[in-house]
Amino acid sequence: MTTTPATRWETLWASGRRYLQVTDHETTLLAGHLAPGHGRPALDIGSGDGGLARHLHHRLGYRTTGIDVAPSALAVAANTGPEPGPVWHLMDFVHDDVAELPHPAYAVATCRLVYRWIEDKPRFVDRVRRLLVPGGTFWVVTGLADRHEDTDPLKELGITVADVETLTAGWSVVREADLGHLRCYALRP
C-alpha cells in the first residue's frame, strides 16, 4: 500500500511530532528580503505549527494564509499564538485546485522545510510562480544534501544540486543566504 503525503504527515503530526522552530536569525534574514506587508496577502505552504505564518501575519504585517496537508498540524497552528491570526486552510498545494485559496495572487509565498518532500518539484515551483504578484517573493528554507557526509542520516533531509537547479531556474532574481545548516532562497519572477 502506498502512503500519500497527506497520510504520512497527518500520522506524524497526530502522534505529537514537532519540527525545527523558526529562529530570530531566520526572521531577520526574511525581513531583509521582504517589503513591509501593509495587509498584502502572503501564503505559507506547509505551515506545520504555523510559526512562520504567524510571524508574517503579526510581525511583518501580511494578511497570511497558512496551508498544510495535515489536519493535526493545522489544529496545532490554529490553537497557538494570538488571535486574530492567519487563516488556516487544509490543502495539498501540488494537487488541489489553487482557486480554492482565499486570494488569486500573493505578495509573498513561503516554503519552510517542505521543498525536499515535494515529489513533483517542477509543478510545485510553477504553481508558486503563477500565484505571485509582479515583484513578489518566494522564500524557501531548506537543507542541502551536499552539506552532509554520505554516512550522515541527515543527508536525506537535504535537497540535491538538481533540486536546487529546479528551484532557482527561471526567476529574474535569485538571492541565497546561509542559516546554519540550512539555506534560504529569495526568488522573484
Side-chain angles (χ1 to χ4, degrees), residues 17 50 52 72 75 78 141 151 154-155 159 162 167 170 173 177 179 187:
R17 183 80 183 260
L52 182 56
S72 293
V141 178
T151 57
L154 295 178
K155 184 176 183 82
I159 62 173
L167 174 64
V173 176
L179 182 65
L187 309 167

Side-chain angles (χ1 to χ4, degrees), residues 22-108:
V22 177
T23 65
D24 290 341
H25 184 214
E26 184 177 346
T27 58
T28 299
L29 281 174
L30 175 63
H33 290 279
L34 299 181
H38 300 296
R40 294 179 300 151
L43 179 65
D44 184 33
I45 304 165
S47 286
D49 68 7
L52 182 56
R54 280 190 301 281
H55 179 78
L56 287 165
H57 192 84
H58 294 293
R59 301 278 188 203
L60 298 181
Y62 288 90
R63 191 175 27 168
T64 306
T65 300
I67 63 172
D68 204 290
V69 296
S72 293
L74 293 177
V76 170
N79 292 309
T80 306
E83 290 298 325
V87 171
W88 307 108
H89 193 72
L90 183 65
M91 177 180 217
D92 178 332
F93 184 77
V94 174
H95 297 104
D96 292 346
D97 185 358
V98 293
E100 294 178 16
L101 290 168
H103 304 286
Y106 291 84
V108 174

Side-chain angles (χ1 to χ4, degrees), residues 20-30 52 112-113 139-144 147 176-185:
L20 186 64
Q21 296 297 301
V22 177
T23 65
D24 290 341
H25 184 214
E26 184 177 346
T27 58
T28 299
L29 281 174
L30 175 63
L52 182 56
R112 183 178 185 274
L113 306 178
W139 177 258
V140 180
V141 178
T142 188
L144 299 175
R147 290 198 172 172
E176 302 174 13
D178 282 332
L179 182 65
H181 65 282
L182 301 173
R183 167 86 37 94
C184 303
Y185 295 90

